[in-house]
Amino acid sequence: MKFGLFSLVAHYADGGSQHERLRRVIDEAVLAEELGFDAYGVGERHGEPFLSSAPPVLLAAIAERTSQVRLLTTLTVISVLDPVRVAEDYATVDQLSGGRLELMIGKGNDPRHFPLFGLSEERQWEYQAEKFELLRRLFYEENVTWAGSFRPSLTDVTTQPRPFHARPRIWHGSASSTESTELAARFGDPLFTANGFHPKKKYADLIDHYRARWAHYGHNPADALVGSGAGGLYVARTSQEALDGYRPYFEALTKTPAYQHNKSEFSTLEEKITNGSALVGSPQQVIDKIGDYHASFGHEVQAVSVDGLSAGEARSGLELFASDVMPVVAKELPSRVWS
């Protein structure tokens, strides 16, 4: 198993100034590299409580403070963006980082961004499919000629700069719909399941759909690649310490528009830990939880997030996760990614 630390740069009233919160993202990425995480990811949101409206800017800053950790977009809301601008921005980050960038694309699960960009939510899947196909061509090809429905046509266009390597990996983020798993399978791209708000079966069914459609399109089943998120991380020496420590953060999370929009079945922390993906507990409990999900998902990358936690609690939990969880899981569950 390989490990990523992802952030949506959630910012709450008790989290200091916006300046402090954004600087903390950079420091957190540096810490992730020091602790041996394989990747650091910055998501994209366009509204409170998130400050992650400009991931290329944050990733460029992170690139200058790190040297090894891979940089992911987790995820790029391709449905509302211009693929030309996306290709230019992220190829620039890729060049600055020396080829450490990997894209993750999706339509996003926050309905607020469609009216913000003057788009119709009813056409979100059409936007995602067309804009992704253009982005893929711009990222991987030169002299692109293209015509579609949602932006002016292109004739013999080569976006600049080019990516550092010829074909940076593009993941597809999947939260709740087979539209995303279908798109990933059709193009032979890896899948990253959000695995955040619902019971395991919901996400396992989407991964099964991805693998089935992957084979349908003639790809070698052994080549299908899956990563997974988790619905929160709080590791402590004992399960009771973890429960007590994470409870106020969980209760604050349930009041956010994102949690309410996703209509999670979990109303209590105990339900979320027992029936959901939250990695809250002692190191051994977290090891067992990742193993249990791997048995259903077959994923090779495990992402975690400490968004919402205080800086001190985030650091101590990440240090314990890196020292007591990551080495055990990496040994027990090998991964082909980022070897």
Short mmCIF file of all heavy atoms in Angstrom, two decimals, residues 137-178:
data_model
loop_
_atom_site.label_atom_id
_atom_site.label_comp_id
_atom_site.label_asym_id
_atom_site.label_seq_id
_atom_site.Cartn_x
_atom_site.Cartn_y
_atom_site.Cartn_z
N ARG A 137 -6.45 15.04 -24.25
CA ARG A 137 -5.75 15.25 -25.51
C ARG A 137 -4.71 16.36 -25.38
O ARG A 137 -3.58 16.23 -25.86
CB ARG A 137 -6.74 15.57 -26.62
CG ARG A 137 -7.62 14.39 -27.04
CD ARG A 137 -8.29 14.66 -28.37
NE ARG A 137 -7.31 14.86 -29.43
CZ ARG A 137 -7.59 15.39 -30.61
NH1 ARG A 137 -8.82 15.79 -30.90
NH2 ARG A 137 -6.64 15.53 -31.52
N LEU A 138 -5.07 17.46 -24.73
CA LEU A 138 -4.14 18.57 -24.57
C LEU A 138 -2.93 18.18 -23.73
O LEU A 138 -1.80 18.63 -23.98
CB LEU A 138 -4.85 19.77 -23.94
CG LEU A 138 -5.92 20.44 -24.80
CD1 LEU A 138 -6.69 21.44 -23.97
CD2 LEU A 138 -5.31 21.13 -26.02
N PHE A 139 -3.15 17.34 -22.75
CA PHE A 139 -2.06 16.92 -21.87
C PHE A 139 -1.14 15.92 -22.56
O PHE A 139 0.07 15.94 -22.34
CB PHE A 139 -2.67 16.29 -20.60
CG PHE A 139 -2.10 16.85 -19.32
CD1 PHE A 139 -1.95 18.22 -19.14
CD2 PHE A 139 -1.73 16.02 -18.29
CE1 PHE A 139 -1.44 18.74 -17.96
CE2 PHE A 139 -1.21 16.52 -17.10
CZ PHE A 139 -1.07 17.88 -16.94
N TYR A 140 -1.71 15.07 -23.40
CA TYR A 140 -0.94 13.97 -23.98
C TYR A 140 -0.53 14.19 -25.44
O TYR A 140 0.30 13.45 -25.96
CB TYR A 140 -1.75 12.67 -23.90
CG TYR A 140 -1.94 12.12 -22.50
CD1 TYR A 140 -2.89 11.13 -22.26
CD2 TYR A 140 -1.19 12.58 -21.42
CE1 TYR A 140 -3.07 10.60 -20.99
CE2 TYR A 140 -1.37 12.06 -20.15
CZ TYR A 140 -2.32 11.07 -19.94
OH TYR A 140 -2.50 10.55 -18.68
N GLU A 141 -1.15 15.16 -26.12
CA GLU A 141 -0.90 15.32 -27.54
C GLU A 141 -0.46 16.75 -27.87
O GLU A 141 -0.73 17.68 -27.12
CB GLU A 141 -2.16 15.01 -28.36
CG GLU A 141 -2.73 13.63 -28.17
CD GLU A 141 -4.05 13.46 -28.92
OE1 GLU A 141 -4.27 14.16 -29.93
OE2 GLU A 141 -4.87 12.63 -28.48
N GLU A 142 0.14 16.90 -29.03
CA GLU A 142 0.44 18.21 -29.59
C GLU A 142 -0.37 18.41 -30.86
O GLU A 142 -0.92 17.46 -31.41
CB GLU A 142 1.94 18.34 -29.88
CG GLU A 142 2.80 18.20 -28.62
CD GLU A 142 4.28 18.35 -28.90
OE1 GLU A 142 4.67 18.55 -30.07
OE2 GLU A 142 5.07 18.27 -27.93
N ASN A 143 -0.48 19.66 -31.29
CA ASN A 143 -1.22 19.98 -32.52
C ASN A 143 -2.63 19.42 -32.51
O ASN A 143 -3.07 18.71 -33.41
CB ASN A 143 -0.46 19.46 -33.75
CG ASN A 143 0.99 19.93 -33.77
OD1 ASN A 143 1.92 19.13 -33.65
ND2 ASN A 143 1.19 21.23 -33.89
N VAL A 144 -3.36 19.76 -31.46
CA VAL A 144 -4.70 19.24 -31.24
C VAL A 144 -5.73 20.07 -32.02
O VAL A 144 -5.79 21.30 -31.89
CB VAL A 144 -5.06 19.25 -29.74
CG1 VAL A 144 -6.53 18.87 -29.53
CG2 VAL A 144 -4.14 18.31 -28.97
N THR A 145 -6.54 19.38 -32.80
CA THR A 145 -7.70 19.99 -33.45
C THR A 145 -8.94 19.34 -32.86
O THR A 145 -9.04 18.10 -32.81
CB THR A 145 -7.65 19.80 -34.97
OG1 THR A 145 -6.51 20.51 -35.48
CG2 THR A 145 -8.91 20.35 -35.63
N TRP A 146 -9.90 20.19 -32.42
CA TRP A 146 -11.01 19.65 -31.61
C TRP A 146 -12.23 20.56 -31.76
O TRP A 146 -12.10 21.77 -31.94
CB TRP A 146 -10.56 19.59 -30.15
CG TRP A 146 -11.64 19.22 -29.18
CD1 TRP A 146 -11.97 17.98 -28.74
CD2 TRP A 146 -12.53 20.13 -28.51
NE1 TRP A 146 -13.01 18.05 -27.83
CE2 TRP A 146 -13.37 19.35 -27.69
CE3 TRP A 146 -12.70 21.51 -28.54
CZ2 TRP A 146 -14.36 19.92 -26.90
CZ3 TRP A 146 -13.69 22.08 -27.77
CH2 TRP A 146 -14.51 21.28 -26.95
N ALA A 147 -13.41 19.95 -31.67
CA ALA A 147 -14.65 20.71 -31.64
C ALA A 147 -15.60 20.04 -30.66
O ALA A 147 -15.69 18.81 -30.60
CB ALA A 147 -15.29 20.79 -33.02
N GLY A 148 -16.33 20.85 -29.88
CA GLY A 148 -17.27 20.32 -28.91
C GLY A 148 -18.40 21.29 -28.67
O GLY A 148 -18.59 22.25 -29.42
N SER A 149 -19.13 21.09 -27.57
CA SER A 149 -20.33 21.87 -27.29
C SER A 149 -20.13 23.00 -26.30
O SER A 149 -20.93 23.93 -26.25
CB SER A 149 -21.44 20.95 -26.75
OG SER A 149 -21.73 19.92 -27.67
N PHE A 150 -19.08 22.93 -25.47
CA PHE A 150 -19.01 23.81 -24.32
C PHE A 150 -17.87 24.83 -24.35
O PHE A 150 -17.66 25.54 -23.36
CB PHE A 150 -18.93 22.98 -23.04
CG PHE A 150 -20.09 22.03 -22.88
CD1 PHE A 150 -19.88 20.67 -22.78
CD2 PHE A 150 -21.39 22.51 -22.87
CE1 PHE A 150 -20.95 19.79 -22.65
CE2 PHE A 150 -22.46 21.64 -22.74
CZ PHE A 150 -22.24 20.27 -22.63
N ARG A 151 -17.13 24.89 -25.43
CA ARG A 151 -16.13 25.93 -25.58
C ARG A 151 -15.80 26.07 -27.06
O ARG A 151 -16.13 25.19 -27.86
CB ARG A 151 -14.84 25.65 -24.78
CG ARG A 151 -14.10 24.40 -25.17
CD ARG A 151 -12.59 24.55 -24.97
NE ARG A 151 -12.04 25.52 -25.91
CZ ARG A 151 -11.27 26.55 -25.58
NH1 ARG A 151 -10.90 26.75 -24.35
NH2 ARG A 151 -10.83 27.39 -26.51
N PRO A 152 -15.15 27.17 -27.48
CA PRO A 152 -14.81 27.33 -28.90
C PRO A 152 -13.89 26.21 -29.39
O PRO A 152 -13.13 25.61 -28.63
CB PRO A 152 -14.10 28.69 -28.93
CG PRO A 152 -14.61 29.42 -27.74
CD PRO A 152 -14.84 28.38 -26.69
N SER A 153 -13.97 25.94 -30.67
CA SER A 153 -13.15 24.90 -31.28
C SER A 153 -11.67 25.28 -31.23
O SER A 153 -11.30 26.44 -31.08
CB SER A 153 -13.57 24.69 -32.74
OG SER A 153 -14.93 24.31 -32.82
N LEU A 154 -10.83 24.27 -31.38
CA LEU A 154 -9.39 24.46 -31.40
C LEU A 154 -8.84 23.92 -32.72
O LEU A 154 -9.31 22.88 -33.21
CB LEU A 154 -8.72 23.73 -30.24
CG LEU A 154 -9.16 24.12 -28.82
CD1 LEU A 154 -8.49 23.21 -27.80
CD2 LEU A 154 -8.83 25.57 -28.54
N THR A 155 -7.85 24.57 -33.26
CA THR A 155 -7.21 24.12 -34.49
C THR A 155 -5.70 24.11 -34.31
O THR A 155 -5.09 25.17 -34.06
CB THR A 155 -7.58 25.03 -35.67
OG1 THR A 155 -9.00 25.06 -35.83
CG2 THR A 155 -6.94 24.52 -36.97
N ASP A 156 -5.12 22.92 -34.36
CA ASP A 156 -3.67 22.75 -34.34
C ASP A 156 -3.04 23.43 -33.11
O ASP A 156 -2.07 24.17 -33.21
CB ASP A 156 -3.07 23.33 -35.63
CG ASP A 156 -1.68 22.78 -35.91
OD1 ASP A 156 -1.37 21.67 -35.45
OD2 ASP A 156 -0.90 23.49 -36.58
N VAL A 157 -3.60 23.13 -31.93
CA VAL A 157 -3.17 23.78 -30.69
C VAL A 157 -2.25 22.86 -29.89
O VAL A 157 -2.54 21.68 -29.69
CB VAL A 157 -4.38 24.18 -29.83
CG1 VAL A 157 -3.94 24.58 -28.42
CG2 VAL A 157 -5.14 25.32 -30.49
N THR A 158 -1.14 23.42 -29.44
CA THR A 158 -0.25 22.74 -28.50
C THR A 158 -0.11 23.64 -27.28
O THR A 158 0.48 24.73 -27.37
CB THR A 158 1.13 22.48 -29.11
OG1 THR A 158 0.99 21.68 -30.29
CG2 THR A 158 2.03 21.76 -28.11
N THR A 159 -0.70 23.24 -26.17
CA THR A 159 -0.62 24.07 -24.97
C THR A 159 0.80 24.07 -24.42
O THR A 159 1.55 23.10 -24.55
CB THR A 159 -1.60 23.59 -23.89
OG1 THR A 159 -1.36 22.20 -23.62
CG2 THR A 159 -3.03 23.78 -24.33
N GLN A 160 1.15 25.18 -23.79
CA GLN A 160 2.48 25.35 -23.22
C GLN A 160 2.38 25.79 -21.76
O GLN A 160 1.47 26.55 -21.43
CB GLN A 160 3.27 26.40 -24.02
CG GLN A 160 3.51 26.03 -25.46
CD GLN A 160 4.44 24.85 -25.63
OE1 GLN A 160 5.19 24.49 -24.71
NE2 GLN A 160 4.39 24.22 -26.81
N PRO A 161 3.30 25.31 -20.92
CA PRO A 161 4.36 24.35 -21.23
C PRO A 161 3.81 22.94 -21.39
O PRO A 161 2.65 22.68 -21.06
CB PRO A 161 5.27 24.44 -20.01
CG PRO A 161 4.33 24.80 -18.89
CD PRO A 161 3.31 25.72 -19.50
N ARG A 162 4.63 22.05 -21.89
CA ARG A 162 4.26 20.65 -21.94
C ARG A 162 4.52 20.02 -20.57
O ARG A 162 5.33 20.53 -19.78
CB ARG A 162 5.08 19.90 -23.00
CG ARG A 162 5.03 20.50 -24.39
CD ARG A 162 3.58 20.60 -24.88
NE ARG A 162 2.92 19.30 -24.92
CZ ARG A 162 1.62 19.11 -24.73
NH1 ARG A 162 0.83 20.14 -24.44
NH2 ARG A 162 1.10 17.90 -24.80
N PRO A 163 3.83 18.93 -20.23
CA PRO A 163 4.16 18.23 -18.98
C PRO A 163 5.62 17.79 -18.96
O PRO A 163 6.24 17.59 -20.00
CB PRO A 163 3.21 17.02 -19.00
CG PRO A 163 2.09 17.44 -19.90
CD PRO A 163 2.71 18.31 -20.95
N PHE A 164 6.16 17.65 -17.76
CA PHE A 164 7.56 17.25 -17.59
C PHE A 164 7.82 15.90 -18.22
O PHE A 164 8.83 15.69 -18.89
CB PHE A 164 7.90 17.23 -16.10
CG PHE A 164 9.35 16.99 -15.80
CD1 PHE A 164 10.24 18.05 -15.76
CD2 PHE A 164 9.82 15.71 -15.52
CE1 PHE A 164 11.58 17.84 -15.47
CE2 PHE A 164 11.17 15.49 -15.23
CZ PHE A 164 12.05 16.56 -15.21
N HIS A 165 6.91 14.95 -17.98
CA HIS A 165 6.95 13.65 -18.64
C HIS A 165 5.84 13.60 -19.67
O HIS A 165 4.88 14.37 -19.61
CB HIS A 165 6.78 12.51 -17.63
CG HIS A 165 7.88 12.43 -16.62
ND1 HIS A 165 9.20 12.24 -16.96
CD2 HIS A 165 7.86 12.52 -15.26
CE1 HIS A 165 9.95 12.20 -15.87
NE2 HIS A 165 9.16 12.39 -14.82
N ALA A 166 5.95 12.67 -20.60
CA ALA A 166 5.03 12.66 -21.74
C ALA A 166 3.58 12.40 -21.31
O ALA A 166 2.66 13.00 -21.86
CB ALA A 166 5.46 11.62 -22.76
N ARG A 167 3.37 11.51 -20.34
CA ARG A 167 2.00 11.12 -19.99
C ARG A 167 1.82 11.03 -18.47
O ARG A 167 1.83 9.93 -17.90
CB ARG A 167 1.64 9.76 -20.63
CG ARG A 167 1.62 9.79 -22.16
CD ARG A 167 1.27 8.41 -22.72
NE ARG A 167 -0.10 8.03 -22.45
CZ ARG A 167 -1.13 8.38 -23.21
NH1 ARG A 167 -0.95 9.15 -24.27
NH2 ARG A 167 -2.35 7.97 -22.91
N PRO A 168 1.67 12.16 -17.80
CA PRO A 168 1.38 12.11 -16.37
C PRO A 168 0.09 11.32 -16.12
O PRO A 168 -0.86 11.40 -16.89
CB PRO A 168 1.20 13.58 -15.98
CG PRO A 168 1.84 14.35 -17.09
CD PRO A 168 1.68 13.53 -18.32
N ARG A 169 0.07 10.58 -15.04
CA ARG A 169 -1.11 9.77 -14.72
C ARG A 169 -2.30 10.67 -14.41
O ARG A 169 -2.18 11.69 -13.73
CB ARG A 169 -0.82 8.87 -13.52
CG ARG A 169 -1.96 7.93 -13.14
CD ARG A 169 -1.61 7.09 -11.93
NE ARG A 169 -0.78 5.95 -12.29
CZ ARG A 169 0.43 5.71 -11.78
NH1 ARG A 169 0.96 6.56 -10.91
NH2 ARG A 169 1.11 4.65 -12.14
N ILE A 170 -3.47 10.28 -14.92
CA ILE A 170 -4.73 10.98 -14.62
C ILE A 170 -5.67 9.99 -13.93
O ILE A 170 -6.08 8.99 -14.52
CB ILE A 170 -5.40 11.55 -15.88
CG1 ILE A 170 -4.47 12.53 -16.60
CG2 ILE A 170 -6.71 12.24 -15.52
CD1 ILE A 170 -5.04 13.09 -17.89
N TRP A 171 -6.01 10.27 -12.67
CA TRP A 171 -6.97 9.49 -11.91
C TRP A 171 -8.37 10.06 -12.12
O TRP A 171 -8.53 11.24 -12.43
CB TRP A 171 -6.66 9.55 -10.42
CG TRP A 171 -5.34 9.02 -9.99
CD1 TRP A 171 -4.13 9.67 -10.07
CD2 TRP A 171 -5.08 7.76 -9.36
NE1 TRP A 171 -3.14 8.89 -9.54
CE2 TRP A 171 -3.69 7.71 -9.09
CE3 TRP A 171 -5.88 6.68 -9.00
CZ2 TRP A 171 -3.08 6.61 -8.47
CZ3 TRP A 171 -5.29 5.58 -8.38
CH2 TRP A 171 -3.91 5.54 -8.13
N HIS A 172 -9.38 9.23 -11.90
CA HIS A 172 -10.76 9.68 -11.91
C HIS A 172 -11.31 9.57 -10.50
O HIS A 172 -11.35 8.47 -9.93
CB HIS A 172 -11.62 8.85 -12.86
CG HIS A 172 -11.27 9.05 -14.30
ND1 HIS A 172 -12.12 9.64 -15.22
CD2 HIS A 172 -10.14 8.74 -14.99
CE1 HIS A 172 -11.54 9.69 -16.40
NE2 HIS A 172 -10.33 9.15 -16.29
N GLY A 173 -11.73 10.70 -9.93
CA GLY A 173 -12.34 10.67 -8.62
C GLY A 173 -13.79 10.22 -8.72
O GLY A 173 -14.54 10.66 -9.60
N SER A 174 -14.19 9.32 -7.84
CA SER A 174 -15.54 8.76 -7.87
C SER A 174 -16.14 8.82 -6.48
O SER A 174 -15.53 8.38 -5.51
CB SER A 174 -15.49 7.30 -8.34
OG SER A 174 -16.72 6.64 -8.12
N ALA A 175 -17.36 9.37 -6.40
CA ALA A 175 -18.02 9.48 -5.10
C ALA A 175 -19.32 8.69 -5.03
O ALA A 175 -19.57 7.98 -4.06
CB ALA A 175 -18.29 10.94 -4.77
N SER A 176 -20.15 8.81 -6.07
CA SER A 176 -21.48 8.22 -5.91
C SER A 176 -22.14 7.75 -7.20
O SER A 176 -23.25 7.24 -7.16
CB SER A 176 -22.42 9.25 -5.25
OG SER A 176 -22.51 10.42 -6.06
N SER A 177 -21.47 7.91 -8.35
CA SER A 177 -22.16 7.61 -9.60
C SER A 177 -21.30 6.76 -10.53
O SER A 177 -20.07 6.90 -10.59
CB SER A 177 -22.52 8.92 -10.32
OG SER A 177 -23.02 8.64 -11.62
N THR A 178 -21.97 5.90 -11.28
CA THR A 178 -21.28 5.07 -12.27
C THR A 178 -20.84 5.88 -13.48
O THR A 178 -20.09 5.36 -14.32
CB THR A 178 -22.18 3.92 -12.74
OG1 THR A 178 -23.42 4.45 -13.24
CG2 THR A 178 -22.47 2.95 -11.60
#
